[in-house]
Every structure is written in C-alpha cells, then in structure tokens.
Amino acid sequence: MKSIFLTLIFFSVGWAAQAQFFIAGGHFNGGIANGRLNHETGGLFFPTLSGIILHEERTAPIQFGIELGYGIYGSKLERRTDLYEGFSDELRLRRNNNIATGMLVMRYILRPQGKVMPFVEAKFGANYLYTRYKIRESILSEETLEAGKDQEDWSVSYSFGTGVQIPIPSSPGLVFEFKANYQTGPSAEFLTKGDATFNPLPNGGGTFDYQVRRSPLEMVTLSVGFLVYDVFR
C-alpha cells in the first residue's frame, strides 16, 4: 500500500515540473455508505480532507491529476483499570479508525468560460483502512504506554461523478467547487467504532475480540472546497 502512495506522489511531482497549466486546492468530503457497505455498517459516515492537483492543457478543457485524502471515521475512548495484570490505576485507551485515499483523476470541463463551470470526472486508485490504538495514563501524558494497529487492509477503488465550479469575482483564479461522486470496488476488511471488545481476566490483563467487517467501500461522497487556477504561474 505504501508503494502505491509513493508512486502517486512521485508521479505528481515529476509531472508538476513539466506542466503548463496547474490547478490545486482542497476539499472537505463526506462519504455516505451505500449498498452493501450501508447494510454491513448501518449507515457509516466517512469524513475526510483531501488535496488535489490537476494539469490542464491550455488548448483543451481536459484535466488530469491526483487527489490524496485522509480521515477518521470512528473514534472510541475507554477508561479502564484492568488492562495490565497487577496494575489497577485508570488508563486511557483511545482507538481510531482511519482511512487514507490516493486517486488518479480525469476531468472534462463542460463550459470552461461560464459563470458556472460544470464538469464530469472519473477516478481510480486505492483506499487504505487501518485501526490504531494508544494507551496513556492521562490526556496530558507525553509518554505512550502502548500503541499499535488492530486491523489494516486496502482495496482498489474506482469512482465517477459530476460537479460545478463557481469563480470568485473578487479573487481571479479562485473557484468554489461542489461535487458528488459514487465510489465502489472490491471488498476490504475493516473495523468500525465498537467492533473491539475487551475480555478481562480476574487478576488484570485480558484479550481483545474483534468483529471484522468485510464489504466494498461503496459510498456516495459529497465534497466542497476551493481550487486555484494557474497556481504555479
């Protein structure tokens, strides 16, 4: 999975050096579970932040680029006194469910000179889902007693959608963007909030049980953000 993201980053950097016309910006995205993912998780929501960089030839309204995103789709805090044998002080166990995305993007701007510029886009890439935990004595503790991953998996993803760009008259080159995408792909294994349970032993310590979910990451994603045209001018 790391090699995929490194390849995508290398591709974008090398390509930036040759580009004639660049667009860059960021989005806040909300992914709403659909189909089998909705059935498996009961309507899970995936909030992410993403950055996008696109190249457009000055002679055609076709854009190619890369979009990288990250979000936490579930977090749970437990205060427990039985995590370690012979240790009864209260400890904080924080578990975060994370998603990282890397997508190649292709767009076609339908009306590039209009006051509202609609577009269609297609994306292909990967989603990486992982659950991390951290045990500390208190929220202010700099030292972590234990940290690690409970679960990780990744899957190929493809997406298509449409959106609009609205130029900001007071800021030439700046546009507001709203878009909607439908995403699906092969199944991935992951955890959601509440899928890890602790089975304590009488004298302290114990084991964790995990209810691992398996489903395609099938969702409708709504995004809002801002882009800057000719950003490297």
Side-chain angles (χ1 to χ4, degrees):
M1 185 61 207
K2 290 181 180 178
S3 63
I4 292 177
F5 281 100
L6 290 173
T7 301
L8 292 173
I9 293 171
F10 176 79
F11 173 76
S12 65
V13 172
W15 177 42
Q18 307 175 39
Q20 298 175 8
F21 180 29
F22 256 95
I23 305 113
H27 296 92
F28 173 76
N29 315 287
I32 304 167
N34 195 24
R36 183 174 161 188
L37 180 62
N38 180 53
H39 181 266
E40 178 68 22
T41 64
L44 194 61
F45 181 72
F46 290 83
T48 60
L49 293 174
S50 64
I52 189 170
I53 186 166
L54 298 164
H55 168 239
E56 178 180 321
E57 293 291 341
R58 296 186 185 275
T59 57
I62 299 175
Q63 300 173 351
F64 297 91
I66 185 171
E67 187 170 20
L68 301 176
Y70 169 77
I72 296 176
Y73 65 90
S75 181
K76 183 179 180 181
L77 172 65
E78 293 183 70
R79 294 182 173 88
R80 305 196 66 98
T81 60
D82 53 3
L83 290 174
Y84 299 107
E85 185 176 356
F87 190 86
S88 59
D89 290 351
E90 184 178 86
L91 300 175
R92 293 169 56 91
L93 169 60
R94 169 70 71 179
R95 180 175 281 107
N96 290 330
N97 301 312
N98 307 269
I99 180 170
T101 65
M103 306 288 282
L104 298 175
V105 183
M106 182 177 70
R107 283 185 175 182
Y108 179 71
I109 309 296
L110 299 174
R111 197 166 57 199
Q113 303 301 324
K115 292 184 178 180
V116 175
M117 301 183 295
F119 63 86
V120 292
E121 73 173 15
K123 299 194 288 185
F124 176 80
N127 294 302
Y128 175 50
L129 298 104
Y130 61 102
T131 296
R132 290 189 60 87
Y133 71 89
K134 183 180 292 186
I135 300 174
R136 296 190 296 174
E137 291 183 349
S138 72
I139 192 172
L140 300 177
S141 299
E142 295 184 3
E143 181 182 359
T144 299
L145 300 177
E146 186 179 340
K149 289 182 182 178
D150 292 321
Q151 171 72 24
E152 62 179 335
D153 198 9
W154 70 279
S155 69
V156 170
S157 176
Y158 45 91
S159 169
F160 58 89
T162 185
V164 293
Q165 295 179 352
I166 302 173
I168 308 299
S170 60
S171 301
L174 179 66
V175 299
F176 169 78
E177 180 169 287
F178 172 79
K179 62 178 181 174
N181 287 81
Y182 172 77
Q183 172 187 281
T184 189
S187 293
E189 294 185 342
F190 56 95
L191 297 173
T192 65
K193 182 178 179 180
D195 284 347
T197 57
F198 184 65
N199 299 319
L201 296 174
N203 297 321
T207 59
F208 282 96
D209 286 336
Y210 304 101
Q211 180 186 340
V212 178
R213 315 273 181 162
R214 181 173 179 83
S215 171
L217 294 186
E218 186 177 356
M219 67 181 79
V220 174
T221 301
L222 303 178
S223 306
V224 292
F226 289 92
L227 301 181
V228 179
Y229 272 68
D230 218 356
V231 67
F232 297 126
R233 178 174 51 187

